[in-house]
Amino acid sequence: MRRVWIGLTYLVFILLIAAPLGKMITGAFSQGWSGFWNALTRPEALHALMMTGLVVIVVTLLNTLFGIMMALYLVRANWLGRRLRGLLNSIVDLPYAVSPVIGGLMIVLLLGPDSALGGLFEQIGVKIVYALPGMVIATLFVTFPLMVREVMPVLQEIGSQQEEAASTLGAYGWTTFWKVTWPSIRWAVIYGVILTVARSLGEFGAVLVVSGNIMNRTQTATTLVYQDVENFNVTAAGGIALVLAAFSAGLLLLMEWSKRRKGGH
């Protein structure tokens, strides 16, 4: 019976991972190395990859900062009250319950050019929807729980005794964080950063709705792959997808490494 389950596991792995990956590689190199290289160096691909990198960097920085702050508030801020912390805890999990497409639509309805708030921003020269800020907000909405849910368990596990002792000895809040709290949560933060980067690289639904998928303006790597598939450009789509897959594989290795480090500290 054990051999049957092992065989089924290998079969599922082949059908769901190995076979699609192999098909993607053959599609990317269906026109040889030159076809693959041309797919990556065409202007729309270079712009999409640059836009993806920019979104990933901005979202990761914001998510790290506000994710750590939210985790600290949810675990340490007793002055918030149990009900308010419970409400904030539920809001953090909202992206898990809401489809990214619906999240993108909510952003369009709230900050789009036809909304009151979006119109106000456009009057002062700031365009949010169908521009980079909207893409960042959409990706941030999708990835926000990742950092919070990695840091919170560590904060709950270490307790607050050491932080209270540092405060009693006269340490300021910032000093207490860097000298006492940060050494305990740093590997959880690294793991959260890796998860955020991986999720940002692959985000499609919310970004597609918010960006409008405008070539050479608001197109990311994933939305470019979608457009290439729609245009039956298999080589181009496979080339971009292979680059994203390679990044994802590297991030997977980093995740496993950081997980072991987090478990050992």
Side-chain angles (χ1 to χ4, degrees):
M1 190 64 182
R2 181 181 178 183
R3 293 181 178 179
V4 173
W5 285 112
I6 293 175
L8 288 175
T9 301
Y10 279 114
L11 179 62
V12 170
F13 172 80
I14 292 172
L15 291 177
L16 297 183
I17 299 179
L21 182 61
K23 187 64 177 178
M24 182 175 64
I25 293 174
T26 57
F29 289 97
S30 60
Q31 298 178 12
W33 172 258
S34 61
F36 173 75
W37 182 251
N38 291 334
L40 295 182
T41 56
R42 55 195 166 128
E44 58 268 32
L46 292 175
H47 184 273
L49 291 170
M50 181 193 69
M51 186 65 69
T52 299
L54 184 58
V55 170
V56 168
I57 291 172
V58 175
V59 168
T60 302
L61 291 174
L62 293 175
N63 199 33
T64 301
L65 175 63
F66 291 107
I68 294 174
M69 290 174 57
M70 179 60 75
L72 287 169
Y73 278 127
L74 290 176
V75 177
R76 297 284 189 260
N78 295 322
W79 52 269
L80 286 176
R82 188 173 64 179
R83 291 185 177 180
L84 181 55
R85 282 195 294 173
L87 177 62
L88 291 175
N89 206 29
S90 299
I91 292 175
V92 168
D93 287 333
L94 184 63
Y96 290 145
V98 176
S99 167
V101 174
I102 296 176
L105 179 61
M106 291 165 54
I107 295 172
V108 172
L109 294 176
L110 182 64
L111 299 172
D114 296 330
S115 66
L117 193 56
L120 179 62
F121 277 111
E122 290 206 357
Q123 286 181 2
I124 61 176
V126 178
K127 188 174 182 179
I128 297 179
V129 174
Y130 310 129
L132 178 63
M135 298 163 67
V136 170
I137 294 172
T139 309
L140 189 62
F141 169 80
V142 174
T143 59
F144 186 70
L146 299 175
M147 181 64 69
V148 179
R149 293 308 177 210
E150 287 299 320
V151 175
M152 275 187 65
V154 179
L155 290 173
Q156 292 168 341
E157 182 181 355
I158 64 176
S160 60
Q161 291 81 5
Q162 293 181 352
E163 296 169 359
E164 292 171 356
S167 179
T168 302
L169 293 173
Y172 292 103
W174 194 247
T175 304
T176 301
F177 174 80
W178 283 113
K179 297 294 185 180
V180 179
T181 307
W182 174 252
S184 300
I185 67 171
R186 65 181 185 274
W187 290 109
V189 171
I190 292 172
Y191 194 35
V193 166
I194 296 171
L195 288 173
T196 300
V197 172
R199 187 67 181 86
S200 300
L201 278 175
E203 176 49 37
F204 173 73
V207 170
L208 180 66
V209 174
V210 171
S211 69
N213 199 24
I214 306 171
M215 185 181 294
N216 292 325
R217 286 184 57 191
T218 62
Q219 210 168 41
T220 62
T222 53
T223 58
L224 178 59
V225 170
Y226 168 75
Q227 178 179 292
D228 287 334
V229 171
E230 289 287 299
N231 295 331
F232 302 100
N233 193 348
V234 179
T235 300
I240 300 295
L242 188 59
V243 170
L244 294 177
F247 272 108
S248 299
L251 289 171
L252 179 62
L253 295 176
L254 278 176
M255 286 169 59
E256 291 301 318
W257 174 76
S258 63
K259 187 186 297 184
R260 290 195 298 268
R261 296 286 301 193
K262 186 175 69 171
H265 287 72

